[in-house]
Structure formats: structure tokens, C-alpha cells
Amino acid sequence: MSSETATMTVANAPSHRASRIDRFLMQGGIVITFLVVAVVATALIEPRFLNRLNLLNVMRNFALLLIPSLAQMLVMTAGGFDLSVGAVVAATSVVTAAVMLVGSGYFPGMELVVILASLVIALGVGALVGLVNAGLVATFSLSPFMVTLAMMSVLMGIALYFTQGIPIYGVADSFIANVGRGQFLGLPIVLWIGLAVLAACIVMQRFTSLGRHIYAVGSDQRSARLSGVSTGRTLLVAYMLAGLLAALTGFLMTSRLGSGQSTIGGTLALETIAAAVIGGVSLRGGVGRAELVALAALFLSVIANAMNLVQVDSKYQTLVLGAVLIISLAIERLLLRKRQS
Amino acid sequence: MLEVTGFTKRFRGVAALDNVDFSLNEGEVHALLGENGAGKSTLINLIAGTFPWAEGVYRINGRTITSLTPHVAQEIGIAAVFQEFSLVPDLTVVENIFLGREQSSGLFLKRKQMRQAAVELLDSLGFHLPLDENVAFLSRAQKQMVEIAKALRMSPKVLILDEPTASLTDGEAEKLFNAVALLKARGVGIIYVSHRMSEIRNLSDRVTVLRGGKKIGTVVTAEISDEGLIEMMVGRPVEQLFPKIEHKPGPVRLEVRDLTTEKRSVIGASFTARAGEVVGLAGLVGCGRSELCRAVFGLEVVETGAIMLDDKAVERPTPTSMLAANVCYFPADRGSEGLALARSARENATMSSLDLPELSSGPVLKFWRENETIKTPLANLALRPMAPERKASAFSGGNQQKLMLARGLMKPFEVYLFDEPTVGIDVGAKADVYNLIKSLVEAGACVVVSTSELPELINLASRVYVMHEGKVVAELAKHELSEAQVLSHYFGGHA
Amino acid sequence: MSMEAKTQPMARLSGLSLMDVLRVARLPIAIVVVLMLFGLVEPRVLSLGNFRNIALQTSYLAIFAMAQTMVLLTRGFDLSLGYTVSLVSVAASMAMVAMGGGDASILYGVGAALLVAGVIGLANGVLIAGIGINPLVTTLGMANIVLAFASTISGGFPVTGLPKGLTAEFAQRSPLSIPMPIWIAALVFVLLFLVLKATRFGRSLYIIGANPRAAVAAGIRTVPVLVAAYTLCALLAALGALLLTARTGSGEPNLGGNLTLEAIAAAVVGGVRLSGGEGGVGAAVLGALFVTVLSNGMNLVQIDGYLQQICLGVIIIVSLIVNRDDARR
């Protein structure tokens, strides 16, 4: 009897493993197919796509979508949702510009100090928002969706109240030149920053206990708690990291736009959720990998660029985004259903 | 080594555990025995720190402990394997074994070392598991093994095992018993919860029996007979708990032919059930008997095979069509599939009968007649308290079960499918459920009971089918029904 | 089991305590308190004219909150509600203008409104119930699709030249000196109250919301019920959109921008549970009244519109926390 069970497990092992690789291929396959089709189609329809300047532009936009998408992924793999991502970007953009404006008055000529100060303060704001989100979600076990929806309203209100919707100018020139438009080894600085964040996320997910705990809390909070994982602290770290990444995005966005704007980030919640979902992040938490989310973000950046090149009204771009989100979820659902049979 | 005195715990003012003393020595296996709802799981949960106790003193190695969380309990050497697993489905076996106790140097995990440690741990237990597979893809027995390995990762001094063999085949169970012996020799104290007399006899040094949240007594296992233990556990002779059912098998009402579900939880199963008899479905947890009932009711997708009601094949069963065909199913898990806990008792009792002419005409719901309609069923079941407007969640387990069963009395059904009808309810409510089954059968209904409680099958059923790994492996007639006979087929060996 | 760890307060045994009264009637009390506070700062808040104004404003929001409640009861969500209102307003207006803009064209407007909303609601319902996609993400995606249409079909401009009768009949007329929108909201309330209380559909909404799996096992056909719930929600949104269009006298692409959040806020404040199965149209109306009283007061004491947005967020969170306790089972 015991030898029978042993052979049974051995015999089962390869099929189990196959199923796992399968799942990765299925999700990775969808993303990569989407990406390749988008790139090839765009290049064929609109040769200007392959233009060096245009590609640099795509890369910058990609980086600025990648970072908040990774933020969204962190929260979603922990079983949450962050609708406030776009609002944090808007608020920290305003904060960055405001600090620079005020700071350069007090410390004329010390641009680097002022820039760093604005970064630190923006990151502080992002972390604080994450702290409040996580505090409400974990302490009162409220729906993350509702909490971050309300938080979005609050942050947008604050940003708009202080600026009355008017952009804040007076951002340091060297900031715009070196960060927003800067290049290193022929690639945009913001892309390097985005890739660094991506690498950090991959390492965190694979090689640290924090990464494991985030998956565990998202997959089954009760089991995680019983296993000795501090679920509250894990959620806190996940939301705060997400806030920090969103704040970093706001900071970089300011350097790209050359001003602090309270009106940016309106569709970012949708875009980041779309990137995460297309990249295989489960809406129920516990599943999701940074590298696939990055590919999905690249895909979305490419189609956004393609639509710009063929001059699709920007309002229709949100239509495409919404449709892509729903279609990719429907495909996943239908594939899952088929696989079970 | 471990000693608790005067332990008391109340849920909603009802004492789940009342002034219980319990002690455990080094290297001892101390069995906990009691029916569902006797307080066993409350006691082990308190010891493992899942929730706080209301009154009582907790001492371990001479130290008095005032409060406990699962995390702290693990630190002081108390590990528990509950029936409800604490595994994370989206992590692998190795990742689960070390979850919450990862070894790392600096920021980074020592993945190789943990893997090696997991291999050694599983080898020492004799468990063979696919280390890098997500737990979601493991069988229940494999999950059970992961859970046990996980409990032992910290080299605990006290190990709590809650019905660890409920889903193991006997080969796997043998490995578990060897592991228990090994741990015992190392001086680990083990609290062992089980229903199975043979295990208690073979493994344990002492037995503590609980009933209705109270401690009945602690005895040395070698000094008491099985009958003595049962008497302590049930509190009355077995005959009083189970009513005598007059089986008058009539025509075949329900026939299942060669049924295989889409998820392969049931493979080629066949059985028949006649009017006026109770047919039992036996087998380990996860053997497919639940899924068989669910498939008949249209809750599992059927791939091949036929379901016949009164000799007529049912095409594509759905709960709606089966209810209309006078088939009634009571799910095993009241909370997740049976009741709308946030709604009133009234709405829960009527939710499957809203199409009856008493309750509706067309789309209009005759809510003003609802209370009238449910009065008799609820009174027959002796719902306590008789408060139809109270939320279902505010009733005790036994009375929640009655709310669900009331649905079966709203109209005369012909076939009743009971899945684990007495899980988590007290002895009094159990007797009520058994009497309900008796009255249904004697009125000519066809009753199918799927249960893990062997005494129920032996005392209620006229015939029993035993299932193993999705297949029906044996059919036993009334005169063949004994605990040993049924169990001998549990592992598929003698089919 | 661990859920049961919280024991009921002993107060229940000693009859109705002050705490009980406060708990049950906290929202009406809060409404009165808010009115009083604003009244102290600005006496006009407590004038009869302003009460009438509050009632009128509430009637619009109440319709949207009741619409949202239909899906919240099923554990669902409709984030596309606001933009549905925008699109319906524009589409219905364009239909009326295209049909000549006379009073007879109102019918075409209503037809267009029902058609547009019906398609949106049906699509939401099929995606959510039929295919099984998460309602939050489905309606978030749908919201953006609808927004794209709303902001482009009229070139992004308000549609003018609507029939005079529309505004006269559905915004200005006041039978028994009660404005038409209040009559309509009251009618919707009564109808929905009856639907929830006295139809199998209504009961099914509650059971599905409280426990979808139990609903299936009890033989309730969940897919058609859910599809109907999302369609009903969109149709009610269309009704509200027509009333708002009648009030402004033009089709507005930006009409519904904040309505999604306000409708959810009203329902949640009123005590409709996000976990499904609890609450009703009464709660939605009361919640709408509270939100309206608050924004009306803030307008009268001239608090910046953006600050009001902050308030809305804070109110949602506070009411989630306050209502949380009774939800503990």
C-alpha cells in the first residue's frame, strides 16, 4: 500500500508541474501575444512608430505607467485594490512643484537640495496615504475598493482645492532637463528608474520573506495569520510601498510635464488595473508577477502611442482601454472555464 | 508539562466550554473524545491560541500564561494541525512549510537551506510530496501531510492533531502513526482528537471525554472498554439517540448509472435508492460521496452517466429543475452553501420554495402568508427560539441546521439528499435530525445520507455504498453493517 | 467560530437603552444635527424655501442611490452609473433635437434613453453574471467605454434646443405644489419598495447578495436575476438622467461625473451593505437626504466645491466604520 502511494505521487508530479508551467505560459502567452501583435501591427500601419524619437517617447510613457502599475500589482497581490493611485500621482505632482517653487525662493542656487527635498516630501505624502489606506483596510477590515475610492475623492479634493486646477510652474530647469528629458546610455532616465523599480519588485517577490508574505496574505489571509504572518504589517508595507511608487510617479511626471498638475492621473487607476490584470494579477489576490505586469504596461503604452500616431481622439483611447480590460478578463474567464472541463 | 484548569469559553453567551481541566505530560499521547459540538475543537483552539479563553488558568512548564496568539503559541512550542488547513493555496509546498518562519540572511531568503530542511523533515516523516507544486493542486491527503510537516517545522513540545486521519488512506495513516510514535519517543506531548476507536486504542495513553462543553472524565486508555468510552461520550445508550426506523423499500425512486463528473471527483459511480428506505454513502472525506449527491442535484457538472428519477432520465439537472422534480438536497456546509446568514429565519426557510402557490403567484411574492406557511415545519423541527424574524446568524448551529431542513418540509419531496446532516450540532439537535429522517422515510420518502459518522450509517441506513477515490467500491446490506465492515472498504483495498 | 467571538451587548436584555435608540436612529439624528449646525452659521438653511430645495435635490440623488442599491444588494457595484447618466442625457437630447425638438419628440428622447441604458445595463449584467467577471472591474471598464461615447457623440458640447415641454413638464410643473421630480422619486421609491418586499425577484436579490452559493442551491436562477438587477439599475439611472436633463434644459456630456461616487456614498451612508443582502430603498433615500443636506449646507455657507469633495470621501469612510459593527456576524 505504501509503495503504491509513493508511485502515485511520483506519477502525479510531472502532470502537476506541467499544469504550473502551463498556467504561466497561458498568462505570459496572452501578454506576449498582445504585445507582439501590437508592435508589429503598429510598425506596419505607421512606420513612424520605429522612429528613434518616437521610441524614446514610448519608453518614457512606458516607465511612467510601469511604476504605478507595479504599485497596483503590490496592493492587488496582497488581496486589495488601489483606486487612489492616480490621485496620489496628482497630489504628489502638486506637492513636488510647490516645494520646488517655495524652496527655490528660500535656497536660491541650491537646486539639487531643493529637488531632493521635493522628492523626499512627495514620497512622504505617498507613504502617508498608503498608511491611511492600509490602516483603514486592516484595522476596520473595510473593503479596500471603497476605502481607496473615498481616498481618491479626498486627495483629488485637496489637490484641486490648493491649486484650483491651475498648474504650478516654477519647476527647476535642471530637474526637467536631467530627469524628465535626461538620457543615460541613450535611454531615458525615467526608463532606467522604472527598470530599477521593476528589478527591485522582482527581487522582492522572489527572494524576500516580505514578497512571500504579500502573496500569502492575498491568497488566504486567515491561513497566513495562523501561520504566523503578521497580516496587518504586511498589508501596511504593501500599501505604503504602493503609495511610495505612486509618489515617485508624481515626482517623475512633474519633471516630464515641467509643472505640477492636479488634473493628471484621472485614468491612471483604470490603466494600472488594466496593466495588472492583463499581466495576470488575480483580482482575488495571491497571484501576480512583476515581469508580466511590465510586459502588459509596455503593451498598453504601445497601443496608446499607436492611437496617438494615427490620431485617434484621446477620448476614444479610454474606450479602448476599458474594452481591453474587459476583453482580457473575459478571455481569462472563458479559458479557465474551458480548462476545468 | 501543559496544564489548563477551569477553562471556560462562551460564544454569544452560550458556554462552548464549561470549567474544563486538562493536562498533558511529556511524551504522552492524550486523546480527546466527544461528539461534534462537545467542545473538543474549542478546547484545542484555546490551547493553540486561536481565540482567548474567558476564565481559567493556563500553565506550561510551570509558567502561567495570561494571553496567547497563534504566533506566541508557536514560539513557546505549541503546534496545531486543525481539520481546517492553514495552507496558502497560491504558494508551493516548501513555501507553505516555512510560511511565517522563513529563514533569511539579511534581506534575502535562504531558499536552498529551506528546501533542504523541508526535504529532511518530509523524509523523516516518510511523506512523499511534490515540493515545488502549488498547494492548490494537491489532494486533500497531500495537504494534510503538508500541514503536519508545517506544524513540526519548529520542533514543538506540544502537538495538537485534530482528526488527522479523516482524509488519509491507511497507508498514509500508517506513516502518520509512525511519525506520532517517533515524536512521542522524542518527548513531544500530543493531543489527539479522533472519532475512531481503533486509533485511540492503539495510540493514546489517556483519554479525556467531553460532552456538551463539560468534561466527563479522564481515563487511562488501557483501563476502559470501547463501550465504556462510547457511553461516556454519548451520555445515553446508543439506542436512545437513534430512533428505530421501519424500512419498507418500495419502487426505485433514484438511480444513478455510471456517473462521472467533469472534475473527476466521481468516477463511474452507480447506485439506487428506493422509496421508504435510507441509503447511506460512506467513505473518507474527499472520496466523492459529497460530490455524488451534488451531481445528482445539479451542483456538479456531469460528464457521462445517467441520473434516473422514477425510471425517467434527467437531462442536465439543475437545482431549480431538481427541486421541481421533488428532489431536495441539504448541503454539508451550512455557512457557505446552505444559509443566507444575514437574512431572517423566515426567508431562509422559504428560499427554495418561493415558487409554491402558497407563497407566490406569478412574480408576486405573498409575503403576508409566509409566516403561516413556515409555522408547521418550524414547529415540527422544534426551532429554538421560535423567532422567524431573527437573523439566521443569531441561531445556534443545531437550530441553523433546522432552518435549512425546514426547506425540505415546505412541500412533500420524494427524494432527500442529506450531506453530513449532523456536522457541528449538539446531541439534542442530532436526535431531532434523526427523528426527522425517520418520519420522512416512514412516510414513504427516499432518503440518501452521505456522512462521515459511522454510527449514523449503521443505525439509520438499510443499505450502504462505500466510496473510495471517486468510485463506489462496495455495497453493504443491513445485516453486513458494522463499523469494522464499513471501514474495511474505506481504502479501496477489498473491493 | 472565531466570528462568534464577539458577544452581544447585555443592553439588549434591559429593554431599549439610550444606546439602542442612538444606534437605530443615528442617521435621522445626524441629519437633524447637521441641519442645526449649518443653521447656526447661516439661518437661511432652516428656511421653508430651503427645505423645499433640499427635498428637490434629494429626489434626484435618491433615484441614483436607489439604482445603485439594486446592484449593491447582490454584492455587486455599478461604477458606470455616473457616465451612463451623461451618455443618456446627450443621446436622449440628440434624439429629441433630431426629431424636430417639438414636444412630441420627448417620446423619442425617452426611447433613446431607455435603449442606451438598457444596452449598458444588459452588457454589465451579462459580463458579470453570465461570464463571471468581477463587477468592480467590469463596471470600471464599462464606465470608461461609456465616458468615451458621452464625451464624443455630440462633439463634447452640450446639446441645446430641447423641447420646451420637457423642462415645463418634468422640472417646473408642481402638482399640489410639489415639484414633479419629487413625485417621480416617490413613485420610484414605492415601486421599488414593493418589488423588494413583494416579488420573487426582490427576494432573490437579497438571497443572492447574502450568499450566492446558497441561492444557487436553493434553486434560484441567479444569472437572469443578476442581469435584471444591472439592467434595472441602468434604466433607473436613465430616468434620473432625463429628469436632470429636463432641469438643465440641455444634454450635458459632463452631467454624471460625480454621481457614481455620490450615489454609492448615499447608499452606504444609509446603511446598504457592500457585503450584500442587507439594506433597502429606504436606506438609500435616507442616505441621499443626508448627503444632500450636507452639500446644501456647505453651499449655503459657501464652502469651496473641492472641499465638499473631500467631505464626501471622509463621509464614506466614516459611515463604513460606523455601520461596520452591526455587520459583524
Side-chain angles (χ1 to χ4, degrees):
Chain A
M1 190 54 96
S2 64
S3 71
E4 187 190 305
T5 37
T7 51
M8 185 194 82
T9 20
V10 171
N12 275 353
S15 75
H16 276 302
R17 188 140 318 137
S19 71
R20 202 169 186 217
I21 293 168
D22 241 35
R23 268 192 327 152
F24 182 77
L25 278 185
M26 183 179 110
Q27 200 56 56
I30 293 176
V31 184
I32 291 167
T33 314
F34 275 19
L35 183 58
V36 170
V37 169
V39 169
V40 171
T42 314
L44 287 178
I45 296 168
E46 186 51 80
R48 275 182 301 159
F49 174 70
L50 296 174
N51 191 317
R52 195 183 111 81
L53 280 179
N54 184 57
L55 285 181
L56 282 178
N57 192 28
V58 172
M59 284 178 213
R60 283 199 194 91
N61 289 339
F62 162 60
L64 291 176
L65 177 59
L66 172 63
I67 300 172
S69 297
L70 292 172
Q72 188 69 258
M73 174 203 69
L74 282 174
V75 175
M76 283 175 71
T77 47
F81 250 118
D82 193 354
L83 290 186
S84 64
V85 153
V88 175
V89 170
T92 51
S93 170
V94 168
V95 166
T96 304
V99 171
M100 283 187 195
L101 189 63
V102 174
S104 57
Y106 282 102
F107 306 99
M110 299 172 72
E111 276 196 348
L112 187 63
V113 176
V114 172
I115 291 171
L116 285 179
S118 70
L119 174 63
V120 169
I121 293 175
L123 291 179
V125 170
L128 181 69
V129 172
L131 181 77
V132 175
N133 279 338
L136 290 167
V137 169
T139 318
F140 299 107
S141 49
L142 302 182
S143 142
F145 195 84
M146 283 307 293
V147 167
T148 55
L149 186 68
M151 180 57 80
M152 179 183 85
S153 179
V154 170
L155 285 173
M156 294 297 281
I158 292 174
L160 288 166
Y161 178 69
F162 282 109
T163 61
Q164 292 295 314
I166 302 160
I168 300 180
Y169 294 101
V171 172
D173 289 338
S174 65
F175 179 50
I176 300 172
N178 291 325
V179 183
R181 296 184 189 153
Q183 289 186 14
F184 177 70
L185 298 177
L187 296 175
I189 293 279
V190 285
L191 180 65
W192 287 110
I193 296 176
L195 293 178
V197 171
L198 172 63
C201 280
I202 293 175
V203 170
M204 191 276 286
Q205 286 188 322
R206 293 260 177 97
F207 302 107
T208 70
S209 54
L210 172 65
R212 253 180 218 184
H213 290 180
I214 289 178
Y215 283 128
V217 169
S219 180
D220 187 336
Q221 194 162 343
R222 179 190 144 275
S223 288
R225 190 172 48 246
L226 289 179
S227 305
V229 175
S230 166
T231 53
R233 212 184 58 200
T234 307
L235 283 174
L236 197 70
V237 174
Y239 277 91
M240 281 178 72
L241 282 177
L244 284 173
L245 291 183
L248 178 63
T249 313
F251 175 80
L252 295 175
M253 207 82 110
T254 313
S255 78
R256 183 146 160 66
L257 297 170
S259 61
Q261 300 201 2
S262 55
T263 49
I264 54 174
T267 57
L268 210 50
L270 177 75
E271 287 175 65
T272 56
I273 289 175
V277 165
I278 296 170
V281 177
S282 163
L283 293 170
R284 291 187 209 88
V287 178
R289 305 174 67 156
E291 56 270 35
L292 291 182
V293 172
L295 289 176
L298 184 56
F299 161 70
L300 291 178
S301 310
V302 168
I303 52 170
N305 181 259
M307 287 191 286
N308 280 332
L309 288 177
V310 299
Q311 296 179 328
V312 173
D313 186 337
S314 68
K315 282 164 184 158
Y316 279 117
Q317 297 191 11
T318 64
L319 184 152
V320 172
L321 203 58
V324 165
L325 176 62
I326 291 178
I327 290 170
S328 66
L329 274 171
I331 290 176
E332 191 201 337
R333 257 338 277 189
L334 296 174
L335 279 180
L336 264 180
R337 204 179 271 185
K338 200 166 235 168
R339 294 176 64 76
Q340 276 167 3
S341 61
Chain B
M1 176 169 58
L2 176 126
E3 188 179 18
V4 299
T5 44
F7 250 34
T8 300
K9 175 73 187 175
R10 294 183 194 87
F11 293 112
R12 299 179 181 279
V14 179
L17 204 62
D18 189 1
N19 199 18
V20 167
D21 301 341
F22 182 83
S23 69
L24 181 69
N25 302 326
E26 244 172 65
E28 179 193 35
V29 177
H30 192 151
L32 261 184
L33 191 60
E35 302 210 283
N36 284 321
K40 290 173 308 198
S41 71
T42 309
L43 179 59
I44 56 178
N45 270 297
L46 294 183
I47 291 175
T50 314
F51 32 73
W53 57 92
E55 291 159 33
V57 182
Y58 190 135
R59 226 176 267 127
I60 182 159
N61 290 329
R63 255 173 68 207
T64 304
I65 290 164
T66 49
S67 71
L68 202 59
T69 64
H71 198 71
V72 174
Q74 286 168 24
E75 309 245 282
I76 61 175
I78 298 167
V81 178
F82 293 109
Q83 274 179 284
E84 213 178 325
F85 300 143
S86 63
L87 301 176
V88 171
D90 294 314
L91 294 182
T92 67
V93 170
V94 178
E95 287 167 352
N96 261 290
I97 289 177
F98 287 97
L99 182 60
R101 300 283 168 195
E102 286 86 0
Q103 303 167 357
S104 36
S105 57
L107 265 181
F108 300 107
L109 294 167
K110 296 185 190 166
R111 302 214 295 176
K112 278 208 183 101
Q113 281 94 324
M114 283 196 280
R115 203 189 143 86
Q116 189 53 39
V119 169
E120 282 163 19
L121 182 58
L122 289 171
D123 276 352
S124 76
L125 293 168
F127 295 162
H128 299 275
L129 293 168
L131 290 175
D132 301 309
E133 188 52 73
N134 277 6
V135 162
F137 297 112
L138 300 187
S139 70
R140 213 190 133 81
Q142 287 175 314
K143 284 183 191 161
Q144 178 81 65
M145 293 188 240
V146 178
E147 187 78 34
I148 291 167
K150 186 176 157 197
L152 294 174
R153 65 190 172 174
M154 299 270 292
S155 315
K157 296 185 184 63
V158 174
L159 176 65
I160 299 169
L161 295 172
D162 186 5
E163 305 223 14
T165 53
S167 55
L168 297 186
T169 65
D170 58 356
E172 293 158 345
E174 201 58 45
K175 285 181 193 160
L176 174 72
F177 299 152
N178 291 338
V180 167
L182 200 78
L183 293 169
K184 192 176 157 175
R186 280 194 221 152
V188 176
I190 295 166
I191 302 174
Y192 195 94
V193 180
S194 178
H195 277 322
R196 296 193 192 159
M197 283 300 162
S198 60
E199 283 175 16
I200 288 176
R201 196 142 292 285
N202 291 336
L203 290 176
S204 72
D205 303 303
R206 288 191 293 165
V207 185
T208 289
V209 180
L210 297 176
R211 191 199 319 143
K214 291 196 173 62
K215 174 170 159 177
I216 303 305
T218 301
V219 290
V220 175
T221 315
E223 292 171 5
I224 189 164
S225 66
D226 285 3
E227 291 72 27
L229 280 176
I230 293 175
E231 180 105 31
M232 281 173 81
M233 183 167 87
V234 182
R236 46 179 146 174
V238 181
E239 303 81 63
Q240 274 183 28
L241 179 61
F242 294 102
K244 186 103 189 88
I245 297 183
E246 294 288 328
H247 296 280
K248 289 187 211 109
V252 173
R253 273 278 137 75
L254 172 67
E255 180 175 3
V256 172
R257 277 190 208 151
D258 211 17
L259 184 124
T260 299
T261 58
E262 199 181 70
K263 291 181 187 159
R264 306 286 151 155
S265 47
V266 179
I267 304 164
S270 303
F271 77 94
T272 55
R274 293 168 183 279
E277 71 166 349
V278 178
V279 171
L281 296 177
L284 293 167
V285 172
C287 69
R289 55 182 161 77
S290 283
E291 289 79 3
L292 182 54
C293 294
R294 299 171 58 80
V296 169
F297 195 62
L299 286 167
E300 293 279 330
V301 181
V302 175
E303 194 170 273
T304 56
I307 297 164
M308 325 271 289
L309 281 176
D310 295 327
D311 284 335
K312 274 200 293 274
V314 180
E315 300 295 330
R316 294 173 54 96
T318 65
T320 319
S321 70
M322 293 313 273
L323 283 166
N326 287 323
V327 178
C328 181
Y329 163 76
F330 300 112
D333 192 337
R334 285 190 296 278
S336 75
E337 205 171 21
L339 296 170
L341 286 171
R343 305 303 302 169
S344 66
R346 166 175 54 83
E347 293 181 20
N348 273 286
T350 57
M351 67 193 244
S352 65
S353 329
L354 296 178
D355 54 343
L356 292 185
E358 296 94 298
L359 286 175
S360 64
S361 60
V364 174
L365 185 69
K366 300 177 187 165
F367 64 92
W368 57 93
R369 289 185 53 182
E370 236 177 327
N371 270 322
E372 188 63 35
T373 318
I374 59 175
K375 210 171 192 172
T376 328
L378 291 184
N380 284 346
L381 286 162
L383 181 74
R384 273 179 303 265
M386 185 59 82
E389 294 311 314
R390 191 189 262 237
K391 275 190 191 177
S393 57
F395 287 87
S396 70
N399 283 292
Q400 287 184 355
Q401 188 76 353
K402 290 177 189 173
L403 283 180
M404 196 167 79
L405 296 178
R407 288 180 209 155
L409 301 180
M410 298 297 293
K411 72 170 189 181
F413 288 96
E414 286 166 2
V415 178
Y416 289 88
L417 306 164
F418 287 87
D419 195 2
E420 304 284 1
T422 56
V423 164
I425 67 178
D426 60 48
V427 179
K430 271 186 183 178
D432 290 343
V433 172
Y434 299 145
N435 280 318
L436 170 73
I437 292 177
K438 173 184 161 78
S439 65
L440 293 174
V441 172
E442 290 178 355
C446 160
V447 174
V448 178
V449 178
S450 152
T451 176
S452 44
E453 304 255 333
L454 283 177
E456 280 177 8
L457 290 175
I458 290 160
N459 289 290
L460 298 177
S462 66
R463 285 182 301 128
V464 169
Y465 293 89
V466 187
M467 292 187 69
H468 175 68
E469 290 184 351
K471 302 188 177 86
V472 173
V473 292
E475 181 187 346
L476 302 172
K478 182 82 189 170
H479 65 272
E480 292 175 295
L481 287 178
S482 70
E483 193 157 323
Q485 263 293 341
V486 178
L487 270 177
S488 74
H489 294 283
Y490 261 41
F491 314 112
H494 309 271
Chain C
M1 282 293 256
S2 60
M3 293 293 185
E4 298 178 27
K6 290 251 156 33
T7 47
Q8 290 286 329
M10 295 305 282
R12 174 149 299 173
L13 295 176
S14 58
L16 276 179
S17 71
L18 184 63
M19 285 307 290
D20 281 342
V21 174
L22 282 179
R23 209 179 60 216
V24 172
R26 63 185 166 220
L27 192 52
I29 293 171
I31 291 171
V32 173
V33 168
V34 168
L35 272 176
M36 292 299 170
L37 287 177
F38 281 119
L40 287 178
V41 182
E42 173 59 71
R44 272 188 302 155
V45 170
L46 297 177
S47 69
L48 208 60
N50 190 49
F51 284 160
R52 188 183 144 107
N53 199 11
I54 288 175
L56 182 60
Q57 284 174 11
T58 302
S59 64
Y60 296 105
L61 182 56
I63 291 175
F64 300 120
M66 288 189 278
Q68 190 67 257
T69 300
M70 291 298 116
V71 293
L72 287 178
L73 285 180
T74 68
R75 277 192 200 182
F77 242 112
D78 187 0
L79 294 178
S80 61
L81 184 138
Y83 295 133
T84 302
V85 171
S86 301
L87 179 58
V88 165
S89 174
V90 177
S93 302
M94 286 171 74
M96 286 185 270
V97 172
M99 297 313 288
D103 284 356
S105 69
I106 293 178
L107 269 183
Y108 291 95
V110 172
L114 295 183
L115 186 70
V116 167
V119 168
I120 295 171
L122 211 58
N124 277 334
V126 168
L127 288 166
I128 291 163
I131 302 187
I133 316 178
N134 176 308
L136 296 174
V137 182
T138 304
T139 56
L140 182 67
M142 188 60 74
N144 284 274
I145 294 173
V146 174
L147 170 64
F149 284 115
S151 53
T152 49
I153 54 168
S154 67
F157 303 109
V159 181
T160 51
L162 298 189
K164 301 238 167 354
L166 187 70
T167 305
E169 284 297 315
F170 297 103
Q172 290 166 347
R173 207 160 82 94
S174 298
L176 305 176
S177 73
I178 293 174
M180 208 52 191
I182 299 182
W183 283 111
I184 292 174
L187 180 70
V188 169
F189 169 76
V190 171
L191 286 177
L192 289 180
F193 184 83
L194 287 175
V195 164
L196 290 180
K197 174 97 183 154
T199 68
R200 283 163 65 187
F201 168 70
R203 178 66 58 84
S204 303
L205 290 181
Y206 281 111
I207 304 280
I208 291 172
N211 188 344
R213 293 185 58 201
V216 172
I220 293 171
R221 290 191 180 89
T222 54
V223 174
V225 172
L226 283 172
V227 172
Y230 281 93
T231 310
L232 181 59
C233 171
L235 291 176
L236 289 169
L239 174 67
L242 287 172
L243 292 178
L244 280 178
T245 307
R247 188 173 71 168
T248 53
S250 57
E252 297 284 339
N254 300 322
L255 194 59
N258 267 330
L259 272 179
T260 305
L261 194 64
E262 284 180 25
I264 292 176
V268 168
V269 169
V272 178
R273 292 255 172 274
L274 298 174
S275 52
E278 282 178 273
V281 282
V285 171
L286 214 53
L289 180 60
F290 179 82
V291 171
T292 307
V293 163
L294 207 63
S295 71
N296 170 274
M298 288 194 288
N299 280 336
L300 285 176
V301 301
Q302 293 178 335
I303 291 176
D304 186 290
Y306 296 131
L307 282 181
Q308 297 192 22
Q309 200 176 343
I310 302 174
C311 271
L312 200 61
V314 173
I315 289 164
I316 291 181
I317 291 178
V318 169
S319 60
L320 282 176
I321 295 174
V322 170
N323 289 342
R324 178 184 58 109
D325 279 334
D326 341 332
R328 283 276 163 95
R329 337 195 235 272

